[in-house]
Amino acid sequence: MATFSRLVAVALLPAPVPFLPALQTCQNPLKSGHHRTFTLLYCRSQASSGFPDDGIREEQPNVGKHVVEAEKMRNERGVQFFVGSSFYREESAVGRDLACLAAAVYKKDKGRLHVLDALSGCGIRAARYLAHAQADFVWANDACDALDTLMAHNLSLASSSSTYDTDHSGQPSQELDSYFSTNFKDENGRWQVTTQDANKVLLDCYIRKNYFDLIDVDSFGSDSVFLGSALSALSYGGLIYATSTDGFSSGGHRPCNALASYGAYIRPMTFANEIGLRMLIGGVVREAALRNLHVYPVFSHYSFHGPVFRVMLRVLPSNQFLTKDYNFIAFCHKCGETEVVKWSSLGRNKCSCVSSSSVSSRTLNGPLWTGPLHSTDDVKNMTEMAKSWGWIEGDLEPAYERRRSPPVSTKDRNLKKLLSIMLEESNPDLQVGYIELDQISMRSKGSTPKRDDLIVALHQEGYAASRSHVQPNAIKTNCPLGKCVEISQSTAPQR
Ligand SMILES: C[S@@+](CC[C@H](N)C(=O)[O-])C[C@H]1O[C@@H](n2cnc3c(N)ncnc32)[C@H](O)[C@@H]1O
Ligand SMILES: [Zn+2]
């Protein structure tokens, strides 16, 4: 296979490339104080593989040559950046919106925001934490060493194009510098770029007591190997933003894999995509307990593409393992009812629909997070922040409500609606999971109830009920399925 040099000499360019931004100057400490002027940004060796992990390979940069590839400049909420050959999904922009809002709320509250974006790709998250959340310091790291110039370029653009109050106290301390050299460093001390294994970076921070306020761990699949070290490198009260893209495990198709990655044995249930969030939170809860910490969800977000499960969690010290919201979920395949089973009731696993002589029809799954998916106060604060930034003005009705296929473009984002559903879902009275409207009609042998009418009817009967951001054609409630069917029958229009 032909190999491509990482960088091609700017001087060799035949003509100016139309999309290039102004040249940026960054300091490269590896080059003994030289200022390295760079233009762009392309790692063809990674692009050619078609699969991002394959892009991580030992490759000595040929500093004398510079690749310049014309590439369309992207834009997320006003932050401009290049993607090059990095792994980047436009559909994940809403997950980045939510993260920036939570980070900005944190900064407003604590007055300081140091972020470590441990698996940074092109550095778009790091750039947005700088520009939107006004982070005092951002460390962007990715194991692919061919991405360093791209990350530095995007961070440089973001910090130079956004306003930042320089009268701040959040500068990183020189004594807490890392064991390894940075590839690029901002002259004003607001950002730095490294290309190390994420665990090396995180554990180095832990050993040096260089604690961060927000650590973003955007890993692939069910790679939970960074969660423990990220927790160790967080300040008390700090935030960890964790990701899983393992839909097989959340769907109950790889129970042993889920057990290895998240410590939870998961079998198929009807609300698999909410389980994906609960499995990931539960995995972090367990890692945290090992370290005398406890985590509480700020928000949880499921997205169709991938699928992708993302959770922002607040980390606090705790000298005992708080298991109130870390339990098992029992699901009955016969009557469809769901129940949280506490550790103390593990021996009594029989659904009330089964006679004493029959074999139980329900499975136990877990342990996983059985508490609320979001914090009401945090979602309210994020909504206020989004309003003040003009992010939820003029949002369109989401196309995914009207068509079967998942959204493919950021135009389909509807942050206003998403935040309002999250606020409903944060009600701690709601039961785990959701009930699909089709399940109700299947059991009632009637037509599918209208979601919003059913929610009103459930409220009138004294139950908690809400929409689900995970599944638009479903409700979340604390009403048993059998009773939901009854209520839906009584509210169905008479023919
Ligand atoms: C999902 S992508 C990141 C996307 C990026 N956060 C964004 O929002 O566009 C995951 C990244 O992790 C990097 N990676 C994989 N293994 C790593 C490791 N052990 N340490 C650090 N980075 C790693 C890959 O090179 C890839 O860029
Ligand atoms: Zn049953």
Side-chain angles (χ1 to χ4, degrees):
M1 189 175 66
T3 54
F4 298 90
S5 67
R6 190 159 77 99
L7 305 165
V8 171
V10 176
L12 296 178
L13 273 179
V17 181
F19 308 108
L20 290 180
L23 290 179
Q24 304 289 319
T25 305
C26 285
Q27 194 168 5
N28 178 0
L30 293 177
K31 294 194 70 200
S32 56
H34 277 104
H35 283 88
R36 177 166 154 190
T37 301
F38 60 88
T39 319
L40 198 37
L41 352 136
Y42 212 84
C43 168
R44 291 228 221 146
S45 58
Q46 193 183 29
S48 60
S49 73
F51 193 73
D53 296 75
D54 291 346
I56 303 168
R57 51 183 70 143
E58 289 297 317
E59 193 182 30
Q60 283 303 313
N62 182 347
V63 183
K65 295 181 178 175
H66 295 260
V67 168
V68 178
E69 291 272 343
E71 187 208 339
K72 191 170 120 256
M73 193 175 239
R74 316 275 181 133
N75 186 318
E76 275 189 20
R77 301 271 190 207
V79 171
Q80 296 192 302
F81 61 103
F82 290 99
V83 164
S85 60
S86 67
F87 180 91
Y88 167 79
R89 286 259 192 276
E90 188 186 357
E91 298 91 326
S92 295
V94 70
R96 290 185 280 270
D97 283 355
L98 293 169
C100 286
L101 290 168
V105 168
Y106 179 98
K107 164 110 195 224
K108 191 174 167 200
D109 184 32
K110 308 266 186 197
R112 177 195 120 122
L113 180 62
H114 286 196
V115 180
L116 173 46
D117 184 9
L119 297 98
S120 202
C122 68
I124 176 57
R125 281 155 192 259
R128 292 191 57 180
Y129 288 127
L130 276 179
H132 293 141
Q134 293 285 292
D136 304 297
F137 176 65
V138 171
W139 180 345
N141 174 73
D142 195 285
C144 177
D145 59 9
L147 294 177
D148 63 349
T149 318
L150 176 67
M151 289 190 273
H153 185 88
N154 288 333
L155 287 173
S156 176
L157 261 182
S159 70
S160 61
S161 61
S162 62
T163 51
Y164 174 66
D165 178 10
T166 48
D167 184 21
H168 58 90
S169 57
Q171 287 283 343
S173 158
Q174 288 306 310
E175 299 93 79
L176 295 178
D177 223 340
S178 51
Y179 166 73
F180 32 79
S181 311
T182 51
N183 300 42
F184 290 102
K185 209 169 193 160
D186 174 33
E187 283 168 339
N188 299 318
R190 266 194 89 197
W191 56 263
Q192 68 184 31
V193 167
T194 54
T195 49
Q196 302 286 335
D197 177 80
N199 267 332
K200 210 163 142 187
V201 169
L202 292 163
L203 290 172
D204 186 72
C205 291
Y206 164 64
I207 289 163
R208 287 164 197 279
K209 298 190 167 61
N210 185 10
Y211 299 120
F212 279 76
D213 301 292
L214 193 162
I215 298 182
D216 195 319
V217 184
D218 187 16
S219 50
F220 295 117
S222 53
D223 199 349
S224 57
V225 74
F226 309 111
L227 298 177
S229 39
L231 287 166
S232 299
L234 267 174
S235 322
Y236 286 158
L239 306 174
I240 177 170
Y241 197 29
T243 302
S244 162
T245 59
D246 185 1
F248 289 109
S249 288
S250 57
H253 308 299
R254 293 202 303 207
C256 292
N257 194 68
L259 190 59
S261 296
Y262 305 106
Y265 197 82
I266 308 288
R267 284 170 281 185
M269 284 177 271
T270 50
F271 41 88
N273 290 327
E274 190 181 299
I275 290 296
L277 296 171
R278 296 185 177 280
M279 176 183 79
L280 176 56
I281 302 171
V284 186
V285 165
R286 192 178 56 104
E287 287 284 354
L290 263 174
R291 294 165 175 80
N292 290 333
L293 299 167
H294 194 64
V295 298
Y296 302 86
V298 171
F299 69 83
S300 313
H301 181 236
Y302 160 75
S303 180
F304 287 103
H305 74 278
V308 187
F309 307 98
R310 296 189 196 281
V311 295
M312 182 73 86
L313 307 166
R314 178 170 291 111
V315 180
L316 290 170
S318 171
N319 53 14
Q320 56 171 318
F321 191 175
L322 305 171
T323 57
K324 179 174 103 34
D325 291 321
Y326 184 63
N327 294 298
F328 290 79
I329 296 176
F331 180 73
C332 178
H333 288 272
K334 188 173 171 205
C335 69
E337 298 290 358
T338 301
E339 191 192 335
V340 168
V341 178
K342 298 204 172 295
W343 291 81
S344 51
S345 313
L346 272 182
R348 296 193 292 276
N349 178 35
K350 190 163 69 65
C351 188
S352 54
C353 76
V354 175
S355 69
S356 56
S357 57
S358 322
V359 175
S360 178
S361 49
R362 73 178 181 176
T363 57
L364 264 192
N365 303 273
L368 33 66
W369 180 254
T370 53
L373 292 173
H374 326 276
S375 136
T376 306
D377 286 348
D378 284 310
V379 175
K380 278 185 183 160
N381 290 335
M382 288 163 62
T383 308
E384 285 310 307
M385 189 64 73
K387 272 188 201 153
S388 71
W389 291 351
W391 279 13
I392 57 180
E393 302 308 319
D395 267 349
L396 299 169
E397 277 300 293
Y400 69 77
E401 293 275 18
R402 296 190 298 270
R403 62 166 194 245
R404 280 174 181 275
S405 58
V408 290
S409 144
T410 49
K411 292 194 189 76
D412 288 330
R413 288 182 290 159
N414 186 329
L415 196 56
K416 188 177 181 176
K417 182 160 189 169
L418 177 61
L419 285 166
S420 75
I421 298 177
M422 285 179 165
L423 190 59
E424 290 177 24
E425 285 179 316
S426 68
N427 180 350
D429 292 338
L430 293 168
Q431 173 67 284
V432 296
Y434 48 76
I435 300 174
E436 283 167 315
L437 300 173
D438 287 349
Q439 278 183 59
I440 296 177
S441 56
M442 201 179 74
R443 287 171 193 276
S444 71
K445 310 254 183 309
S447 54
T448 307
K450 287 205 166 59
R451 182 194 62 191
D452 296 349
D453 293 349
L454 182 58
I455 289 175
V456 170
L458 285 163
H459 286 162
Q460 281 167 353
E461 294 283 332
Y463 292 104
S466 82
R467 296 171 287 173
S468 158
H469 88 274
V470 175
Q471 176 53 269
N473 294 320
I475 55 159
K476 284 180 68 63
T477 182
N478 56 357
C479 176
L481 175 57
K483 184 74 186 166
C484 275
V485 172
E486 263 177 47
I487 293 174
S488 130
Q489 280 166 333
S490 67
T491 56
Q494 303 299 315
R495 296 198 181 156

